[in-house]
Amino acid sequence: MNKQQLEKKSVEYRKKILKYIVKANAGHTGGSLSCTDILNVLYNHALNVSPQTFTSPDRDRYIQSKGHCVEALFVVLADKGFFPEENLETLCQYKSHYIGHPTRKVKGVEQNTGALGHGLPIAVGNAIAAKLDKRDYKVYTLMGDGELPEGSNWEAALTAAHYKLDNLCAIVDKNTLQITAPTAEVCNTDPLDEKWKAFGWAVKEVDGHDVDALKAAFDSLPFEPGKPNVIIAHTVKGKGVSFMENNLKWHHGVPSKDEYALALSELDNSLQQAAI
Amino acid sequence: MAHIEATDPNGFKPNQEIFSEILQALAAKDRDIIAVTSDSRGSGKLVPFGKKFPEQIVEVGIAEQNLVGVAAGLAAAGKKVFAVSPACFLTARALEQIKNDVAYSDNPVTVVGISAGVSYGALGSTHHSLHDFAALRCINNITVVVPADNFETAQATALAATTNSPVYLRFGKRVMNSLKEVNDDTFAFGKGRVITEGNDAAIIACGETVYPAVQAAKLLAEQGINVTVVSMHTIKPLDTDLLAKLAAACQAIVTVEEHSVYGGLGEACASYLMQHGLHKPFRIVGIPDEYTVTGSQQDIFNHYHITKEGIAEVVKGLL
Ligand SMILES: Cc1ncc(C[n+]2csc(CCOP(=O)(O)OP(=O)(O)O)c2C)c(N)n1
Ligand SMILES: [Mg+2]
């Protein structure tokens, strides 16, 4: 897909994310909107996976470590045909498999996540298996910036470098916010690039809302042969809806009817502007 | 997740809120009271605590193992520490820190598991804590406390602050009903609280399941069955004196908990009764060993019959 097509997709995705969060009266709004463009470019450009190839041992793996932003993942998986979108009407309801975190009961989901700091170690295991089996697939994992203080991430980072996992790509959704406060005030992880480099990783920083920049980053994998890759994606929490952007309240805020209507009109406007 | 309404218009507050209020009162008088959080102060209702006592809160970021280790170090240096994080992460991921750095090393940390059980019902198993009684029961040197109403929460929080050994406090999110009109009880860890009295059967419950147990007793009373309901707020050490008395006085015993049927309150009671020759018809009501259904906490309670009707049925089945 070209830039314009991808940008149009992102707007559609953001609208649907909000739709189902409103329907469920629950969800992680801000973080789903910050990673929408990343998921869009992953599933519509980078990942070699489809509903038909989902059981193939050669498929690319995507593990969403920041599992709380499941709404973004579910909306994209539905769009890619992994399941009918109407299933999302049951999001978070009694007995629904479409719960507030990714689970393998939903087709397209690779791993059950939700407790932060689990995605990277599992991705490392997947990537080691690919090397052992001499398969070409890549393994991607998306992490939050607030998630990084979990020690398991850095244990896995060491293993990844030790095993020279250049088939592994971690993406940090660096939206600079978590629940309590800005990440820099809760537990500062900056300078982040230097930390990953010190752990033996190849680092690229991109604007996480620039679909062309994201495409280029994924296309240039591996960044350095023999090193695991990390993309530090600079993003805006709540991206696309002015009153949600950079506002802590929207970590798991659910829009009211009026806020939802306003958000939709803003997103529609951005679509029209993109078309001009 | 939809907000959980109090089932009784006289309901008070979520226990987590009472915990925060008491902790603030304690912190105002004692500068050694420290709360340690892991991006969890919002769910722990500790935002006002952080504003009022910025010197008495330590924030470690999303890092629960670190949270408990840091708490142990603070306690070792004489601080009265409350380590607050969702029970699911605290008692699974940081279990080794609880075992070694708190319990084994005897650092008197109060480990506070919030949003426990299936409070985060629709978020799935990663966010459920249905294992914490079992995990902590077999760790030596930690008292395990699950308050059932605001009164017990206030008492337990204040007591934990003056207890010079490790304590686990477990709270849910639900707005709690008060269990008694007048709270003239003396509250002590290890002493069950009798809510209603009757000699036909005993229901021993804890935390958020005590209220449906009391309602079950009401339902049964209408049918001429008189039931003792106990809030067994301390899972360890268990009030075995009370248990022995109940076994002697009642024809059947039912336990109820927001926990796996394995390793929790029910099996603790069963173990004592069995080993002391106190053989009464006995059932454990809790979450079975299966892929846990999701939905609101109430949906999950309904699904597993942790309701007044469900509990009453189980009691009747034993009589
Ligand atoms: C182990 C663990 N601890 C705590 C939480 C609760 N939690 C869910 S989201 C979140 C904040 C995440 O912040 P960040 O990683 O920056 O995500 P984003 O900003 O992308 O939403 C927290 C503390 C969790 N899900 N897992
Ligand atoms: Mg963030």
Side-chain angles (χ1 to χ4, degrees), chain A residues 28-32 34-35 65-69 101 113-118 142-150 173-181 183 235 237 250-252, chain B residues 38-40 43 61-64 85-86 88-90 93 120 123 126-127:
Chain A
H28 287 85
T29 313
S32 287
S34 71
C35 68
S65 193
K66 46 171 266 178
H68 57 286
C69 299
H101 290 106
T113 52
L116 296 166
H118 285 251
L142 177 67
M143 309 160 83
D145 52 354
E147 176 183 356
L148 294 179
E150 288 290 3
D173 181 0
K174 196 170 193 300
N175 59 27
T176 73
L177 297 181
Q178 50 195 102
I179 299 181
T180 305
T183 299
T235 57
K237 204 157 174 170
W250 292 100
H251 173 76
H252 47 200
Chain B
S38 53
D39 201 15
S40 50
S43 17
I62 305 173
E64 294 77 11
S85 194
C88 51
F89 313 127
L90 202 49
R93 182 183 220 111
Y120 288 138
L123 298 184
T126 56
H127 283 59

Side-chain angles (χ1 to χ4, degrees), chain A:
Chain A
M1 275 189 214
N2 66 28
K3 184 173 174 155
Q4 211 180 3
Q5 289 165 320
L6 283 169
E7 284 177 346
K8 189 162 169 254
K9 271 274 179 223
S10 280
V11 171
E12 281 169 22
Y13 288 158
R14 288 194 165 92
K15 286 169 66 177
K16 286 182 186 170
I17 288 166
L18 294 175
K19 173 179 167 184
Y20 293 109
I21 286 175
V22 168
K23 175 90 208 311
N25 191 26
H28 287 85
T29 313
S32 287
L33 296 177
S34 71
C35 68
T36 306
D37 300 307
I38 297 167
L39 282 173
N40 181 5
V41 176
L42 275 170
Y43 276 89
N44 289 304
H45 180 77
L47 288 179
N48 176 23
V49 66
S50 70
Q52 293 70 39
T53 60
F54 187 59
T55 49
S56 157
D58 291 315
R59 73 190 183 281
D60 285 341
R61 277 35 168 206
Y62 169 70
I63 297 167
Q64 188 161 312
S65 193
K66 46 171 266 178
H68 57 286
C69 299
V70 69
E71 293 84 17
L73 178 62
F74 282 166
V75 161
V76 173
L77 289 177
D79 181 55
K80 298 306 288 177
F82 283 90
F83 53 82
E85 190 189 312
E86 69 213 39
N87 292 8
L88 295 178
E89 298 281 344
T90 67
L91 185 67
C92 286
Q93 285 175 13
Y94 173 50
K95 283 190 170 175
S96 172
H97 289 318
Y98 299 83
I99 65 170
H101 290 106
T103 87
R104 296 163 95 170
K105 300 264 175 194
V106 174
K107 187 168 178 192
V109 173
E110 288 283 354
Q111 292 297 331
N112 293 3
T113 52
L116 296 166
H118 285 251
L120 189 59
I122 301 171
V124 166
N126 265 192
I128 292 173
K131 295 267 183 199
L132 290 175
D133 293 346
K134 302 202 175 7
R135 292 188 189 277
D136 282 339
Y137 66 85
K138 293 193 183 71
V139 186
Y140 298 80
T141 186
L142 177 67
M143 309 160 83
D145 52 354
E147 176 183 356
L148 294 179
E150 288 290 3
S152 50
N153 293 321
W154 301 100
E155 295 175 22
L158 289 172
T159 309
H162 183 81
Y163 278 91
K164 302 185 177 20
L165 300 179
D166 53 8
N167 55 346
L168 172 68
C169 177
I171 306 140
V172 178
D173 181 0
K174 196 170 193 300
N175 59 27
T176 73
L177 297 181
Q178 50 195 102
I179 299 181
T180 305
T183 299
E185 290 171 30
V186 176
C187 179
N188 191 9
T189 52
D190 286 331
L192 195 54
D193 56 335
E194 288 177 23
K195 289 195 177 59
W196 286 102
K197 279 179 199 154
F199 274 71
W201 287 55
V203 184
K204 252 191 197 170
E205 307 218 25
V206 301
D207 174 346
H209 302 303
D210 180 338
V211 290
D212 277 348
L214 286 165
K215 266 164 85 170
F218 292 128
D219 287 346
S220 61
L221 288 169
F223 305 150
E224 286 178 46
K227 282 190 178 184
N229 312 279
V230 59
I231 297 176
I232 299 175
H234 295 272
T235 57
V236 173
K237 204 157 174 170
K239 175 72 180 178
V241 179
S242 63
F243 58 92
M244 292 180 180
E245 289 188 356
N246 290 314
N247 186 341
L248 280 176
K249 175 185 157 191
W250 292 100
H251 173 76
H252 47 200
V254 176
S256 67
K257 229 176 129 189
D258 289 348
E259 286 165 335
Y260 176 49
L262 188 58
L264 288 189
S265 74
E266 279 194 19
L267 287 165
D268 281 331
N269 280 342
S270 68
L271 201 56
Q272 274 160 15
Q273 271 165 6
I276 298 165

Side-chain angles (χ1 to χ4, degrees), chain B residues 101-164:
Chain B
D101 310 339
V102 175
Y104 173 52
S105 304
D106 199 23
N107 285 310
V109 173
T110 302
V111 178
V112 183
I114 56 174
S115 309
V118 291
S119 298
Y120 288 138
L123 298 184
S125 272
T126 56
H127 283 59
H128 299 166
S129 52
L130 299 172
H131 63 279
D132 48 344
F133 301 164
L136 298 178
R137 268 183 68 219
C138 44
I139 290 176
N140 171 246
N141 193 33
I142 186 161
T143 301
V144 179
V145 182
V146 193
D149 67 1
N150 291 175
F151 166 75
E152 290 181 13
T153 300
Q155 299 284 318
T157 306
L159 201 52
T162 55
T163 300
N164 204 24

